[in-house]
């Protein structure tokens, strides 16, 4: 998708989401407001509190009523105080209940309840006092009864004796009866003797009786007051109950009314919420449809753009793959003619003695070297891009790598009068771990560029150890006093096929891959490449790589080898006629017998061919180099007797180990010089000669006759006298241990152990053809349950004598034929 279209598409999506979000927020706010109104109508806490506190009030009133009755029954002051305290708490509860209503009639009713409660407390106190006084009237009745009894004893008539149930008569009747009884008592005749005494006693009795009657009348008045108080209390209770019922009824009516009004309000809230929700849904759908149409339109456009991008991406990948394949193919195809040109130029250089002609040849070789470097860099770049370039990790001396790099530029340094110095810091004298080949490739590119862009002055290589938070790093700076690089160009010089100079008017030759490859190689080695430069003052490239030191024992110092003439014959397979002819010419000049074939199928199976080394190209029509290797080693070709096979290839994307693991003895990378070819041929021929000598020694050993064993079978698995020695020594040690264990098993009559040990010893005895011992071991391997111990012991003693004789012969063989340690 184009940037502008992508931006519009994004803005539309954002606008759509914002509109829907705003609508959702607005709808949510309105619905939430209605919901608050709805819940507010449900949460009428005051009404619930009114009912709850009214119920509490009734409960406390019942408790107070019980306390009141208890106080009146027991007539104890403490019970009356408890009752008063309960009433006070009820009064406080009524005060809190007043706060829950704002209606004046209800408040007045509650005030009335409080007043009635206080009045009831007062009446209860008065009633208690009256009851206490009433209890004191009981003695008066007993005294009156005693006086009446005295009057009866004195012959007088009393109203109680005169009229039964006198106490139950009305007061007026009692008064009339008393007056009548008094008249009767006056007319009772008296004796002369006791008239005076009786008159006195009668007067006392009458006075006492009158006083007691007066007291009784007061007591009766007190009882009537008590009854009135009880009636007042009952009336107060009745009024209190009515007031409470009125209050509760009022509260209930208020709650019902509020509930009805709340129901109406809820219905309104629900209807408004439904309208808001419906409106929000409709608007949301409209907005969704609108933006869906807009986004769908943009999405279809984006799909078209994506399809175009995918097509362009596929096309770009195809171009990249084609470029990689083109580079690989062209580079490989260039290597064969380059090898041909290089070979013929070397032949011409040997044959032509004229200075001018030699100058032309030097120019050809210089141009050839440039093309070789270009092809090599193209292949390395292609392998780096494809992640196919692998690094090694082995010990090496840094000074050796730096010396090798600077030695390549001696001629350039002398021509330009440039000072080329190397400074190696302390601590780098020890060997380090890394890939010396890739490091030298990086430094060759940097030093080559420094010399190319420096006309006079210096080029310095400074190596040091730099400590970082990640550990020690190897820092190698390549400084020069050349033309420098503009700051605006410094970022682009690491891009492929790019130079800092004007591309339209190049003064310096180059193809712009060296720095790109160097940077990628630094990253592949776990480091990085930095640049510091100032125009017309020079540049400094810094290579920083993780540093790891190695032990000196792991380094093999290479001795300088001189090229020796190759005195053997070779068999060549090369499908390029020019290169095949060049190789044959080169062999002729070196007095080497060579046979050349353009196709492997042209080689006869039964010809009496004589050759010491096979040289084959890898990429050929028909049978390639790997096919040549397989076919020769099938054994179908009588003239092939395991001679070494060397691969020739222009493919740099395959590692050397790939060819060696396939079975090749060595690899030659095209284009190669005549000197490289001769060194390789001598190397593989010498190795093959050593193998053959070792084989002959084994054959000589086998040729010696032995009475107890033979090496014929085992020799096919060994390629040296040393290997034979190791096998025989190991055999003797194992046999000694096995015999000891076998003897222990026989002593313990462990037949399973005897069978196991015999089975383990048999393979090696068969391999050495120890014919006398094999039947004995086979018999012990299949020993039966009925086998007697003395028979087993007899066979073992026989086996032991054979092994003793075998050991003597093997030791004699080992000591008389020392191992070749060359």
């Amino acid at each position: 998708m184009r940037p502008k279209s992508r931006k519009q598409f994004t803005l539309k999506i954002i606008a759509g989401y914002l509109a829907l979000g705003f609508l959702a927020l607005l709808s949510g706010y309105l619905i939430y407001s209605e919901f608050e109104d709805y819940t507010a109508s449900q949460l009428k806490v005051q009404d619930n509190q009114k009912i709850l506190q009214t119920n509490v009030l009734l409960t406390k009133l019942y408790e107070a009523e019980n306390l009141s009755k208890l106080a009146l029954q027991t007539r104890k002051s403490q019970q009356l105080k408890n009752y008063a305290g309960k009433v006070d708490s009820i009064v406080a509860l009524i005060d809190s209940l007043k706060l829950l209503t704002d209606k004046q009639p209800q408040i007045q009713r509650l005030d009335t309840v409080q007043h009635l409660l206080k009045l009831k407390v007062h009446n209860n106190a008065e009633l208690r006092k009256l009851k206490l006084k009433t209890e004191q009237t009981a003695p008066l009745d007993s005294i009156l009864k005693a006086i009446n009894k005295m009057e009866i004893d004195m012959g007088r008539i009393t109203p109680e004796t005169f009229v039964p149930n006198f106490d139950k008569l009305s007061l007026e009747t009692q008064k009339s009866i008393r007056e009548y009884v008094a008249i009767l008592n006056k007319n009772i005749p008296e004796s002369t003797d006791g008239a005076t005494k009786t008159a006195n006693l009668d007067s006392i009795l009458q006075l006492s009786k009158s006083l007691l009657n007066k007291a009784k009348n007061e007591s009766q008045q007190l009882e009537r007051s008590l009854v009135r108080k009880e009636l007042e209390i009952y009336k107060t209770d009745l009024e209190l109950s009515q007031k409470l019922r009125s209050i509760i009824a009022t509260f209930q009516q208020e709650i019902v009314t509020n509930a009805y009004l709340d129901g109406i309000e809820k219905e309104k809230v629900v209807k408004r919420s439904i309208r808001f929700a419906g409106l929000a849904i409709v608007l949301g759908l409209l907005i969704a449809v609108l933006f869906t149409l807009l986004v769908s339109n943009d999405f279809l456009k984006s799909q078209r753009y994506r399809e175009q991008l995918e097509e362009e991406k596929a096309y770009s990948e195809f171009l990249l793959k084609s470029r990689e394949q083109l580079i690989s193919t062209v580079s490989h195809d260039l290597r064969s003619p380059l090898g041909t040109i290089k070979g013929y130029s070397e032949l011409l250089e040997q044959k032509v003695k004229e200075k001018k002609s030699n100058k032309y040849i030097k120019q050809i070789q210089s141009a050839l070297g440039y093309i070789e470097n270009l092809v090599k860099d193209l292949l390395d770049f292609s392998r780096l891009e494809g992640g196919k370039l692998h690094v090694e990790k082995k010990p090496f001396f840094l000074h050796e790598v730096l010396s090798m790099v600077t030695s390549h530029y001696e001629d350039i340094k002398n021509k330009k009068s440039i000072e080329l110095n190397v400074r190696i810091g302390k601590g780098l004298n020890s060997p380090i771990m890394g890939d010396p080949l890739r490091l030298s490739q990086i430094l060759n590119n940097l030093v080559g560029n420094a010399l190319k862009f420096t006309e006079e002055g210096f080029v310095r290589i400074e190596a040091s150890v730099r400590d970082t938070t990640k550990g020690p790093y190897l820092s190698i700076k390549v400084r020069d006093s050349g033309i420098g690089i503009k700051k605006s160009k410094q970022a682009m010089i690491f891009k492929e096929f790019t130079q800092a100079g004007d591309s339209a008017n190049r003064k310096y030759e180059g193809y712009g891959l060296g720095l790109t490859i160097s940077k990628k190689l630094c990253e592949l080695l776990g480091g990085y490449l930095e640049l510091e430069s100032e125009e017309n003052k020079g540049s400094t490239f810094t290579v920083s790589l993780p540093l790891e030191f190695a032990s000196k024992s792991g380094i093999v110092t290479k001795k300088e080898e001189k090229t020796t003439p190759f005195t053997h014959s070779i068999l060549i397979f090369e499908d390029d006629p020019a290169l095949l002819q060049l190789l044959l010419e080169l062999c002729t000049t070196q007095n080497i017998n060579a046979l050349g074939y353009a196709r492997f199928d042209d080689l006869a199976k039964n010809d009496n061919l004589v050759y010491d080394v096979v040289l084959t190209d890898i990429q050929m029509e028909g049978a390639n180099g790997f096919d040549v290797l397989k076919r020769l080693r099938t054994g179908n070709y009588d003239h092939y007797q395991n001679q070494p096979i060397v691969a020739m290839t222009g493919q740099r994307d395959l590692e050397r180990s790939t060819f060696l693991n396939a079975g090749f003895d060595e690899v030659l990378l095209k284009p190669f010089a005549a000197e490289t070819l001769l060194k390789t041929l001598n190397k593989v021929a010498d190795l093959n000669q050593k193998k053959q000598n070792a084989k002959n020694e084994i054959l000589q050993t086998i040729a010696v006759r032995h009475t107890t064993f033979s090496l014929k079978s085992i020799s096919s698995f060994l390629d040296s006298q040393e290997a034979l020695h190791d096998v025989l020594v190991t055999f003797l040690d194992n046999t000694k241990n096995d015999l000891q264990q076998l003897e222990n098993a026989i002593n313990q009559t462990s037949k399973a152990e005897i069978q196991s040990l015999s089975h383990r010893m048999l393979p090696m005895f068969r391999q050495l053809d120890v014919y006398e011992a094999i039947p004995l071991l086979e018999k012990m391997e299949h020993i039966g349950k009925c086998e007697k111990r003395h028979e087993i012991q007899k066979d073992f003693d026989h086996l032991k004598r054979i092994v003793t004789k075998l050991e003597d012969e093997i030791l004699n063989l080992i000591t008389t034929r020392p191992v070749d340690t060359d």
Side-chain angles (χ1 to χ4, degrees):
M1 186 185 292
R2 298 173 184 174
K4 186 176 180 181
S5 300
R6 186 185 296 111
K7 188 175 181 181
Q8 291 177 351
F9 181 71
T10 306
L11 289 175
K12 287 176 183 178
I13 293 177
I14 293 173
Y17 279 119
L18 289 175
L20 289 174
F22 175 75
L23 180 62
L25 289 174
L26 180 62
S27 302
Y29 172 75
L30 295 175
I31 293 174
Y32 180 74
S33 301
E34 297 298 331
F35 180 73
E36 280 189 332
D37 295 338
Y38 182 85
T39 54
S41 64
Q42 285 185 316
L43 300 175
K44 298 296 182 181
V45 179
Q46 288 186 353
D47 291 344
N48 297 333
Q49 288 183 347
K50 285 179 184 179
I51 295 296
L52 179 62
Q53 292 198 16
T54 304
N55 291 331
V56 174
L57 177 61
L58 288 173
T59 303
K60 289 191 174 185
L61 283 173
Y62 289 136
E63 293 176 357
E65 184 65 25
N66 292 330
L67 290 174
S68 172
K69 291 178 180 180
L70 184 62
L72 291 175
Q73 287 176 358
T74 60
R75 297 177 181 85
K76 293 181 179 179
S77 61
Q78 184 60 41
Q79 297 296 339
L80 186 62
K81 288 180 182 179
N82 293 339
Y83 171 67
K86 178 63 71 174
V87 170
D88 290 339
S89 67
I90 294 172
V91 171
L93 181 62
I94 292 173
D95 289 335
S96 65
L97 193 59
K98 288 179 186 177
L99 299 175
L100 298 177
T101 181
D102 54 356
K103 295 182 180 180
Q104 197 61 33
Q106 291 183 359
I107 295 175
Q108 291 176 355
R109 291 189 188 96
L110 291 172
D111 290 338
T112 304
V113 171
Q114 286 180 323
H115 174 70
L116 290 173
L117 286 171
K118 292 177 181 178
L119 182 61
K120 185 175 179 181
V121 172
H122 176 72
N123 290 337
N124 281 341
E126 293 296 324
L127 183 60
R128 174 178 171 276
K129 290 179 181 179
L130 290 173
K131 284 190 175 184
L132 289 174
K133 289 181 179 180
T134 303
E135 289 177 353
Q136 298 173 0
T137 61
L140 294 177
D141 292 337
S142 62
I143 293 172
L144 285 173
K145 288 181 181 180
I147 292 173
N148 288 334
K149 186 175 182 303
M150 291 175 63
E151 287 179 341
I152 294 171
D153 293 339
M154 293 174 62
R156 287 190 175 272
I157 302 170
T158 62
E160 285 79 6
T161 59
F162 185 74
V163 179
N165 298 325
F166 176 78
D167 293 335
K168 295 181 179 181
L169 299 177
S170 64
L171 294 176
E172 292 180 356
T173 305
Q174 289 179 359
K175 184 178 181 183
S176 300
I177 291 171
R178 282 191 184 94
E179 290 175 353
Y180 180 71
V181 169
I183 294 172
L184 291 176
N185 288 326
K186 286 180 180 181
N187 295 320
I188 296 173
E190 299 178 353
S191 63
T192 308
D193 299 334
T196 304
K197 186 177 180 180
T198 302
N200 292 333
L201 183 61
D202 184 56
S203 62
I204 292 171
L205 289 171
Q206 289 298 323
L207 180 61
S208 299
K209 190 175 181 180
S210 63
L211 290 173
L212 289 171
N213 284 328
K214 183 178 179 181
K216 185 176 181 181
N217 290 333
E218 290 178 357
S219 176
Q220 289 176 350
Q221 290 179 358
L222 185 62
E223 288 180 356
R224 287 193 291 272
S225 298
L226 180 63
V227 171
R228 285 195 300 273
K229 285 294 180 182
E230 287 179 347
L231 290 175
E232 288 178 2
I233 289 173
Y234 293 149
K235 185 179 179 181
T236 301
D237 287 343
L238 181 62
E239 188 175 357
L240 187 62
S241 299
Q242 289 176 350
K243 292 293 182 183
L244 288 174
R245 282 195 296 272
S246 176
I247 290 171
I248 293 172
T250 303
F251 285 164
Q252 288 177 344
Q253 183 62 34
E254 184 179 350
I255 291 172
V256 170
T257 304
N258 289 338
Y260 176 74
L261 295 175
D262 287 344
I264 295 173
E265 187 63 27
K266 289 176 186 177
E267 188 176 354
K268 291 180 180 178
V269 169
V270 170
K271 288 181 179 179
R272 286 199 301 270
S273 299
I274 292 173
R275 285 198 296 271
F276 286 144
L279 182 61
I281 290 172
V282 172
L283 289 176
L285 288 174
L286 290 175
I287 293 173
V289 170
L290 175 62
F291 281 97
T292 299
L293 292 175
L294 295 174
V295 171
S296 297
N297 185 36
D298 289 341
F299 180 74
L300 292 174
K301 290 181 181 178
S302 69
Q303 285 294 102
R304 288 196 295 270
Y305 293 145
R306 181 178 295 175
E307 290 174 0
Q308 292 176 3
L309 285 174
E310 288 178 353
E311 291 177 359
E312 292 175 1
K313 180 185 176 184
Y315 182 66
S316 299
E317 290 177 350
F318 171 74
L319 288 179
L320 288 173
K321 190 174 181 180
S322 299
R323 185 188 73 171
E324 183 180 350
Q325 188 174 0
L326 177 64
I327 291 174
S328 178
T329 304
V330 169
S331 300
H332 176 266
D333 291 344
L334 280 173
R335 286 186 176 275
S336 294
L338 285 176
T340 305
I341 296 171
K342 188 172 185 178
Y344 279 115
S345 64
E346 289 177 354
L347 289 175
L348 285 173
E349 189 177 15
Q350 293 176 7
K351 292 180 178 290
V352 176
K353 303 300 181 182
E354 188 182 353
K355 290 184 178 181
K356 190 173 184 180
S357 298
N358 278 327
K359 183 179 179 181
Y360 295 155
I361 293 172
K362 290 290 184 185
Q363 292 295 331
I364 293 171
Q365 290 177 342
S366 175
L368 182 63
Y370 178 82
I371 296 174
E372 283 183 356
N373 289 330
L374 172 60
V375 171
K376 178 176 171 295
D377 286 346
L378 282 172
L379 283 173
D380 286 340
F381 175 73
S382 177
R383 294 173 69 190
L384 283 167
E385 287 285 300
K388 298 177 181 178
L389 192 67
H390 302 289
V391 297
E392 290 183 314
K393 194 172 184 181
K394 59 183 180 180
F396 66 94
F397 284 102
L398 181 63
H399 65 84
E400 291 181 357
V401 174
L402 295 179
S403 298
M404 181 183 65
V405 170
T406 54
S407 65
H408 294 162
Y409 301 99
E410 290 294 330
D411 293 340
I412 300 175
K413 174 185 79 168
N414 296 331
K415 286 180 182 178
K416 290 188 174 183
S417 299
I418 297 173
E419 183 183 353
L420 179 59
N421 294 328
V422 177
R423 298 177 183 174
I424 301 177
K426 295 180 179 180
L428 290 174
N429 295 325
S430 300
I432 61 177
M433 294 294 292
D435 192 333
L437 176 63
R438 301 306 170 191
L439 180 60
S440 63
Q441 189 175 351
I442 295 169
L443 295 177
N444 271 318
N445 286 329
L446 297 179
V447 174
N449 280 346
L451 290 169
K452 179 168 50 174
F453 294 104
T454 302
E455 295 299 329
E456 59 182 6
F458 64 87
V459 173
R460 296 195 188 105
I461 304 174
E462 301 171 358
S464 61
V465 179
R466 182 165 54 87
D467 292 325
T468 67
T469 56
K470 296 181 180 180
Y473 266 66
L474 171 64
S475 177
I476 302 176
K477 296 180 183 291
V478 180
R479 303 180 186 272
D480 66 67
S481 57
I483 61 174
I485 304 170
K486 294 180 181 179
K487 286 193 175 182
S488 59
K489 301 287 186 180
Q490 289 180 12
M492 61 179 290
I493 64 169
F494 292 107
K495 294 181 180 180
E496 60 268 20
F497 307 109
T498 304
Q499 285 188 339
D502 186 4
S503 60
N505 184 20
R506 285 189 177 179
K507 179 180 178 182
Y508 303 96
E509 65 177 10
Y511 35 85
L513 275 178
L515 290 177
T516 304
I517 292 173
S518 297
K519 184 176 176 63
K520 289 182 178 293
L521 285 175
C522 286
E523 293 171 355
L524 188 64
L525 294 171
Y528 50 89
L529 179 62
E530 295 176 305
L531 166 65
E532 294 177 11
S533 183
E534 189 174 349
E535 192 175 8
N536 298 322
K537 290 188 177 181
S539 304
T540 300
F541 287 87
T542 304
V543 177
S544 297
L545 301 174
L547 181 60
E548 179 183 353
F549 289 99
S551 60
K552 292 184 179 181
S553 59
I555 298 181
V556 178
T557 304
K558 291 185 178 180
K559 298 179 180 179
E560 187 175 350
E561 297 179 357
K562 294 183 179 181
T563 304
T564 58
F566 184 72
T567 59
H568 305 280
S569 57
I570 62 174
L571 176 64
I572 303 173
F573 296 100
E574 174 59 63
D575 61 345
D576 184 358
L579 185 54
L580 178 59
Q581 186 61 36
L582 171 64
L583 291 172
L584 293 175
E585 289 284 347
L586 180 60
C587 289
T588 301
T589 58
Q590 297 293 331
N591 297 319
I592 300 172
N593 294 325
L595 296 172
Y597 294 92
R599 296 170 64 250
F600 181 76
D601 293 334
D602 296 338
L603 180 67
K605 294 182 178 181
N606 301 319
D607 285 353
N608 294 322
L609 302 179
V610 178
Y611 53 90
D612 300 299
V613 178
V614 179
L615 194 62
T616 177
D617 186 23
I618 292 297
Q619 285 185 323
M620 296 187 297
E621 293 184 4
N624 59 30
F626 293 99
D627 295 332
V628 171
L629 177 70
K630 290 178 182 178
R631 291 188 186 183
L632 285 176
R633 291 184 175 172
T634 55
N636 297 327
Y637 295 85
D638 297 336
H639 46 77
Y640 181 73
Q641 300 295 326
N642 291 323
Q643 293 92 329
I645 302 176
V646 178
M648 297 184 297
T649 180
Q651 292 179 304
R652 290 185 176 267
D653 54 341
L654 293 178
E655 298 293 333
R656 181 172 178 271
S657 58
T658 303
F659 298 97
L660 298 180
N661 293 335
F664 289 99
D665 294 274
E666 195 50 74
V667 184
L668 273 173
L669 295 178
K670 297 178 182 179
F672 49 81
E675 184 179 0
T676 305
L677 174 62
L678 292 176
K679 285 182 179 180
T680 303
L681 293 175
N682 280 316
K683 177 182 177 182
V684 295
D686 291 343
L687 288 174
N688 187 58
Q689 188 61 45
K690 287 182 179 181
K691 288 181 181 179
Q692 192 61 39
N693 293 338
K695 198 73 174 178
N696 292 334
E697 287 183 2
I698 295 176
L699 292 175
Q700 290 175 8
T701 303
I702 295 171
V704 178
R705 293 185 177 182
H706 305 284
T707 59
T708 58
F709 70 98
S710 172
L711 297 175
K712 187 175 181 181
S713 299
I714 202 172
S715 64
S716 59
F717 300 99
L718 305 173
D719 58 357
S720 67
Q721 188 75 13
E722 184 179 3
L724 178 62
H725 174 274
D726 293 339
V727 169
L728 293 175
V729 170
T730 303
F731 168 74
L732 290 177
D733 292 339
N734 292 338
T735 302
K736 184 177 180 181
N737 293 331
D738 290 340
L739 282 176
Q740 183 62 45
Q741 294 180 27
L742 189 59
E743 185 175 9
N744 294 335
I746 293 171
N747 293 332
Q748 297 173 5
T749 321
S750 176
K751 294 184 178 180
E753 187 71 15
I754 294 171
Q755 291 175 341
S756 175
L757 289 168
S758 301
H759 177 76
R760 187 171 71 189
M761 294 172 67
L762 261 173
M764 200 60 194
F765 275 79
R766 286 171 178 162
Q767 202 75 9
L768 290 173
D769 294 331
V770 188
Y771 295 110
E772 293 184 37
I774 291 173
L776 296 172
L777 289 172
E778 288 177 346
K779 183 179 179 181
M780 291 182 184
E781 184 184 17
H782 300 93
I783 189 172
K785 294 182 179 180
C786 300
E787 199 78 25
K788 294 181 180 181
R789 184 181 179 281
H790 70 276
E791 293 179 358
I792 301 173
Q793 184 67 44
K794 182 180 178 182
D795 292 337
F796 174 73
D797 293 338
H798 186 194
L799 176 65
K800 202 171 181 181
R801 289 193 296 271
I802 295 171
V803 170
T804 303
K805 186 177 179 182
L806 174 67
E807 183 178 1
D808 292 339
E809 287 198 21
I810 291 176
L811 289 175
N812 182 55
L813 173 65
I814 293 173
T815 54
T816 55
R817 293 190 177 273
V819 178
D820 183 14
T821 58
D822 209 4

